[in-house]
Amino acid sequence: GLLSLAGAAFADGKPCDELKAEIAAKLDAKGVSNYSLEIVDKGAAADGKVVGACEKGTKEIVYKRG
């Protein structure tokens, strides 16, 4: 489920907040709960799975359960 989400979420040119909202809506629609999405600088050490790239590839959106 999440892997198919990640494939569609790499929209480099999108504003991060817009992409984060789209990812959250997809996760909610799949019934996922108890998660967080965090916007970080590309390549920053993040404790989670990168599920999207935004701001022309300079930032990433990281998914964490819990």
Side-chain angles (χ1 to χ4, degrees):
L2 187 60
L3 292 177
S4 63
L5 171 71
F10 283 86
D12 288 343
K14 271 192 186 195
C16 288
D17 289 335
E18 181 181 330
L19 183 59
K20 182 179 174 182
E22 289 177 14
I23 294 170
K26 288 180 184 180
L27 289 169
D28 293 344
K30 291 180 184 231
V32 177
S33 61
N34 201 19
Y35 69 89
S36 67
L37 294 170
E38 183 180 356
I39 299 168
V40 299
D41 290 331
K42 183 175 182 170
D47 181 29
K49 177 173 178 49
V50 175
V51 294
C54 49
E55 303 293 336
K56 299 191 188 324
T58 61
K59 305 239 183 231
E60 295 175 327
I61 298 176
V62 177
Y63 165 89
K64 297 179 193 176
R65 285 291 296 210

